[in-house]
Amino acid sequence: MTGDGDAVEGSATRSSLADKIDRLIRIVTPEGGPAPSYNEIARAIDEAAGERVISPSYIWKLHKGEADNPRLNHLEALAGYFAVPTEYFFNDAVADRVDEQLRLLQILKGGPIRSLALRANDLSPESLRMLGDMINRLRDLEHPDTKH
């Protein structure tokens, strides 16, 4: 894991349950804000279910790798909270696909990208094409050895 909160690590290799939970927590954390506490996550899950489903301490154990064999209802509850399919936690192909979507979400959370997208919102298709061409040109200048 990167630990810096700025990038979602690729999951082309198997990720542990703890790694996956860590990625999901980082994604739902507002930029510059605090991560949701284990109490907040458990409370939201319990409120959505209308009953006690999971304890904050058990979420902590899963997140820290102290527990790694949760019941299906725990995985379903966490999946619901994080808005990912339950398979995310045990199917690496699904996790890879969702991680790509999470990377995009993480990029869009960033201020400069979001600001650029909002300002470009009402541009004509021709202007958007020109903007894309300019971005490609800038990328070529800054990273000449990569293809886009």
Side-chain angles (χ1 to χ4, degrees):
M1 303 292 290
T2 61
D4 63 6
D6 290 336
V8 173
E9 183 178 284
S11 59
T13 59
R14 287 175 136 340
S15 293
S16 71
L17 177 61
D19 290 338
K20 291 174 181 176
I21 291 171
D22 188 64
R23 277 196 299 272
L24 293 171
I25 288 173
R26 285 188 285 132
I27 290 297
V28 301
T29 300
E31 188 173 333
S37 70
Y38 302 117
N39 284 329
E40 291 169 331
I41 295 170
R43 188 175 336 127
I45 288 171
D46 292 347
E47 286 176 7
E51 64 182 345
R52 179 69 178 229
V53 175
I54 193 166
S55 70
S57 63
Y58 191 61
I59 295 171
W60 177 87
K61 286 179 180 181
L62 292 171
H63 184 205
K64 299 303 178 185
E66 303 264 331
D68 62 3
N69 192 19
R71 294 189 320 223
L72 180 59
N73 72 316
H74 290 143
L75 292 179
E76 290 170 340
L78 289 167
Y81 176 81
F82 291 112
V84 298
T86 304
E87 290 177 287
Y88 176 83
F89 296 111
F90 54 84
N91 182 320
D92 288 333
V94 170
D96 288 346
R97 192 170 57 249
V98 171
D99 282 347
E100 283 300 316
Q101 295 167 350
L102 294 177
R103 277 188 208 52
L104 178 59
L105 178 61
Q106 201 168 36
I107 289 168
L108 293 176
K109 273 187 2 180
I113 298 295
R114 185 169 179 250
S115 174
L116 179 63
L118 290 172
R119 290 192 327 235
N121 183 45
D122 61 353
L123 293 177
S124 69
E126 177 61 20
S127 293
L128 289 173
R129 187 193 61 72
M130 289 172 50
L131 181 59
D133 290 345
M134 286 191 297
I135 290 170
N136 287 337
R137 179 67 182 131
L138 290 169
R139 186 181 310 135
D140 290 344
L141 290 171
E142 291 187 12
H143 307 283
D145 295 332
T146 61
K147 295 288 184 193
H148 45 84

